[in-house]
Amino acid sequence: MLSVLLAAAITVQGPVAFPTSAVTDLRAGWRYAVGDNTAWARPGFADARWRPAAVPAPWSAQGLEGFRGYVWYRLHYTLDSAAVAPLGLRFTAVTGAYEVFADGRSIGGVGSLPPRYRARANVPVTVAFPPEALTRGEHVVAVRVYSEENVGGIVGPVLAGPLDELVAREWRISDLLLATALFLVGVGIMQVFFYARRPEAVEHLLIFVFTLALAALFIVWMPQVRATLSASLDYYRLYLFFGSAAAAFFCFAFRRIFEVEDHRWVTGIGVYFACLAPLGFLLPGFEALRAVGNYLLSPGLLIASLVVVAIGVQQVRRGVDEARILLAGIAILTLTLVHDVFAEWGWLGPRIGLPWLVHGGSVALVLCVGYVTARKFVDTASIALNDRLTGLYRREVVMDALNREIRRSARTHQPIALIMMDLDSFKSVNDSYGHPAGDRMLAEVGRRLAEAGRAVDWLGRYGGEEFIAVLAASPLGGAELAAERFRQAVSALPIELGRASRTVTLSAGIAAYDGGAGWPTPAQLVGAADAALYRAKAAGKNQGHD
């Protein structure tokens, strides 16, 4: 504290030159006095005996530990010539209620002074100097601060300069916060889309609420929003509500994403945050709200992040693909959270302005969560479309495509062909080498068929060792060439089965529709190809028939 007072004393050297061309942080030249007298706002008042004030700093740093009441600040400034452009001040954070004067004239403030005291904190306000405070010569800025809380004073930088630049700086902050909030809403809408496609995946709905609460938190932090709310509502109530809600729904979503077996810790922490959320609207005043934020919400966030990191590490060790990405996002948030919470507690010096690191960490986490959930959605959709063993389309997918292709063929009068394929003597592979060896053979056959097929072909596993191919815009002759290409691709090289390798052949049956009147049903076309396949088997295998 002594160092702060000494620094303040050194900087009090008389009137300061007011910046007229660029925004400057006004730290030097401030004085303060305890008490209340409206005459202290007048420019002619003699304040030479006032004590030097450190700005920004809470009252505790000025030697006023535990003080509750009025403290006035004064600053003398000079203008070398009459200002051409409007000038102003921007108070980034004042704890309590306050009113600002320029040459004795009230020009703005936040909160309500007694007898209807209403405390506010961290509500940035930009005030414009009246014309009489812009003339050449010496002028005075006075700030009347009142606090009945355990903290008070000008705790954030006081910026001075051209009014347009001060307002522009405020809007740049708001634009950044609003853009981030819109990004979060976009991620949430994406989760709604995923949930609509997979209603059983409740984690998408939980993440939607999480991102929505986080977006609301960013909007509440916008300077204009906080200033607008200050007349009727302490923004910190919304901060507690949306911050706790976001943490609660993330915990619930995290448990669903990883299907954590022992989820009591994660669920319990989520319930804890859910119980904190309504306190933002139920608690009576400033000190109670800040106590919940500092001693219940902040420690809870630290504990939750450490628990989630520990579970994430456990999932990485178990080989869960998505765990590394999500763990990276959680780790970034944890590091930023530790910094900002320690700063909130005063362990890293007073925190000025917004908790930017936590906001950045939150965005990093949302990016990772969005990526992980999108990847899980795509993987699930892929599993719904593809056979997990061979990588080819599932039977239902190919049959649905066959139905569409038959109708398209009848409409455009273009031919369509169907090939049914079956591995020869596949049962002997399972009997001789075991089912794992049979699975390896099926997987390799699927890969070779996919390489031999065209991008427009629908290749799928029909069942067991049977495969099906739907060839759009392909006549019978083209289908025969395709069947031969498939046959050669499968039997070209031996397939490694683990302890041995074996060459496998396949037989194929071909059916075609020329696009004429009276088109067949999918079952009829499959039946015709199946009959041709049976003839190929009867004729000696390893060949194709139509």
Side-chain angles (χ1 to χ4, degrees):
M1 182 181 72
L2 182 60
S3 62
V4 172
L5 293 175
L6 181 60
I10 294 174
T11 57
V12 178
Q13 301 174 348
V16 300
F18 197 90
T20 58
S21 59
V23 174
T24 303
D25 185 354
L26 282 184
R27 291 178 177 266
W30 291 94
R31 298 173 180 272
Y32 81 94
V34 176
D36 185 41
N37 187 339
T38 55
W40 293 351
R42 299 170 186 170
F45 177 78
D47 56 12
R49 294 178 177 270
W50 283 28
R51 297 177 182 179
V55 173
W59 286 346
S60 58
Q62 318 273 12
L64 300 175
E65 184 74 39
F67 176 77
R68 299 167 190 252
Y70 280 101
V71 172
W72 279 72
Y73 295 80
R74 282 172 62 92
L75 173 74
H76 293 258
Y77 69 92
T78 60
L79 292 172
D80 293 336
S81 60
V84 177
L87 301 177
L89 293 174
R90 176 174 169 78
F91 292 84
T92 57
V94 179
T95 299
Y98 69 98
E99 187 177 8
V100 184
F101 300 86
D103 284 349
R105 178 177 172 180
S106 177
I107 58 175
V110 170
S112 297
L113 298 169
R116 295 183 178 180
Y117 172 65
R118 186 171 63 242
R120 296 290 183 263
N122 290 331
V123 178
V125 170
T126 299
V127 294
F129 282 162
E132 59 268 25
L134 300 177
T135 59
R136 181 181 178 180
E138 183 176 331
H139 303 273
V140 172
V141 170
V143 185
R144 182 191 192 192
V145 182
Y146 181 86
S147 176
E148 293 180 1
E149 321 308 328
N150 57 5
V151 64
I154 303 175
V155 296
V158 180
L159 305 179
L163 186 63
D164 291 345
E165 290 189 28
L166 292 171
V167 173
R169 178 175 295 199
E170 183 176 291
W171 276 107
R172 282 195 294 271
I173 295 173
S174 293
D175 290 344
L176 177 61
L177 292 171
L178 181 60
T180 307
L182 292 176
F183 162 75
L184 295 173
V185 171
V187 174
I189 292 174
M190 179 181 71
Q191 299 297 323
V192 172
F193 168 76
F194 292 160
Y195 176 72
R197 298 291 297 272
R198 295 179 57 227
E200 71 278 5
V202 182
E203 62 268 22
H204 295 304
L205 197 59
L206 296 172
I207 295 172
F208 165 70
V209 180
F210 160 64
T211 56
L212 218 59
L214 207 55
L217 196 62
F218 275 68
I219 292 174
V220 168
W221 269 110
M222 291 172 58
Q224 290 85 347
V225 173
R226 281 183 284 162
T228 302
L229 289 173
S230 65
S232 57
L233 179 68
D234 188 347
Y235 82 94
Y236 203 79
R237 294 185 182 276
L238 298 177
Y239 169 79
L240 284 181
F241 177 78
F242 290 121
S244 301
F249 281 97
F250 173 75
C251 289
F252 299 146
F254 179 84
R255 183 180 68 84
R256 293 279 307 186
I257 290 173
F258 287 127
E259 299 177 356
V260 182
E261 295 92 345
D262 187 10
H263 55 74
R264 287 173 294 179
W265 271 97
V266 179
T267 303
I269 293 173
V271 171
Y272 170 81
F273 286 124
C275 293
L276 284 185
L279 293 181
F281 295 104
L282 298 177
L283 293 175
F286 182 94
E287 287 193 4
L289 291 172
R290 268 60 181 183
V292 169
N294 291 336
Y295 305 118
L296 294 181
L297 178 59
S298 294
L301 290 173
L302 289 176
I303 293 172
S305 61
L306 294 176
V307 170
V308 170
V309 166
I311 295 175
V313 170
Q314 185 183 59
Q315 296 296 316
V316 170
R317 290 177 176 175
R318 291 179 178 178
V320 178
D321 293 338
E322 301 85 0
R324 292 184 183 275
I325 301 295
L326 194 54
L327 180 60
I330 297 169
I332 293 173
L333 176 63
T334 301
L335 292 175
T336 60
L337 190 63
V338 167
H339 175 277
D340 282 359
V341 169
F342 283 4
E344 182 77 28
W345 291 345
W347 294 0
L348 303 177
R351 191 190 76 188
I352 304 301
L354 302 178
W356 285 112
L357 287 182
V358 164
H359 282 72
S362 301
V363 172
L365 176 62
V366 171
L367 282 171
C368 293
V369 169
Y371 172 81
V372 167
T373 53
R375 181 174 173 180
K376 285 175 69 72
F377 177 80
V378 171
D379 289 345
T380 303
S382 177
I383 291 172
L385 294 175
N386 298 93
D387 176 65
R388 304 187 77 171
L389 182 59
T390 64
L392 302 177
Y393 287 119
R394 295 174 60 210
R395 171 177 173 172
E396 294 84 357
V397 176
V398 177
M399 293 303 294
D400 185 57
L402 176 60
N403 185 50
R404 294 197 307 270
E405 290 297 335
I406 289 174
R407 293 179 178 274
R408 188 187 63 81
S409 177
R411 187 175 64 254
T412 62
H413 304 293
Q414 289 185 333
I416 181 178
L418 177 71
I419 305 175
M420 294 292 297
M421 296 167 282
D422 185 79
L423 298 183
D424 298 325
S425 306
F426 178 76
K427 185 177 183 299
S428 64
V429 175
N430 284 334
D431 293 342
S432 302
Y433 304 101
H435 285 85
D439 288 344
R440 280 193 287 271
M441 175 172 282
L442 289 173
E444 177 61 19
V445 167
R447 187 188 67 80
R448 294 183 181 184
L449 289 174
E451 288 185 352
R454 303 177 302 172
V456 296
D457 296 337
W458 292 84
L459 275 166
R461 184 183 180 191
Y462 195 74
E465 67 273 21
E466 277 191 290
F467 298 88
I468 184 173
V470 176
L471 281 59
S474 178
L476 183 60
E480 290 173 343
L481 293 175
E484 180 61 18
R485 191 167 65 249
F486 289 141
R487 188 191 68 79
Q488 291 180 4
V490 169
S491 60
L493 295 171
I495 296 176
E496 293 293 332
L497 302 178
R499 294 175 299 173
S501 60
R502 178 165 171 173
T503 300
V504 66
T505 62
L506 65 75
S507 301
I510 308 165
Y513 164 57
D514 61 4
W519 65 81
T521 65
Q524 289 172 331
L525 207 57
V526 169
D530 220 18
L533 173 62
Y534 178 80
R535 292 196 296 273
K537 291 279 190 180
K541 303 180 180 179
N542 193 26
Q543 56 187 285
H545 275 243
D546 58 55

